[in-house]
Amino acid sequence: MTSITHISSLLVSAHPGQKDQVCSDILVHDFAEIAHADETGKIIVTLETPDESAIVSALTEIQLIKGVVNASLVYHQADNTDALETLATGVRHD
């Protein structure tokens, strides 16, 4: 059975004085990473999830974090998990 991995990115705007706490709260999610954050409060978050519903749940939870002004989905791609592992490791899983 082929499994699918959903890769997405979010643009999060936070109050500049609360950016560090917002980043910490985002990283509570095991499948979230902070790709970039700057002093103005702009944060780029990447998610790697098993399905679309996990993206929606994470986006909703991030929008509700204290200090977040806005959070939007800006990219989504679904790929075969085995193909992604082959790209990352060079080892095929046939």
Side-chain angles (χ1 to χ4, degrees):
M1 181 174 159
T2 301
S3 62
I4 302 294
T5 298
H6 293 264
I7 299 168
S8 57
S9 62
L10 312 175
L11 177 59
V12 179
S13 296
H15 290 289
Q18 295 175 300
K19 178 201 49 126
D20 292 338
Q21 183 60 49
V22 169
C23 287
S24 294
D25 290 347
I26 290 170
L27 292 175
V28 166
H29 299 280
D30 291 338
F31 45 78
E33 292 182 14
I34 304 294
H36 177 77
D38 68 20
E39 64 278 350
T40 67
K42 302 291 185 216
I43 304 166
I44 298 172
V45 179
T46 58
L47 303 175
E48 191 171 313
T49 59
D51 54 46
E52 293 97 340
S53 65
I55 297 169
V56 174
S57 294
L59 177 58
T60 300
E61 290 176 23
I62 289 170
Q63 289 171 328
L64 296 174
I65 293 173
K66 182 180 179 184
V68 170
V69 176
N70 186 31
S72 302
L73 177 69
V74 293
Y75 178 79
H76 172 244
Q77 177 176 341
D79 275 326
N80 176 309
T81 301
D82 292 338
L84 290 173
E85 288 180 16
T86 299
L87 284 172
T89 64
V91 178
R92 291 186 65 148
H93 301 273
D94 293 326

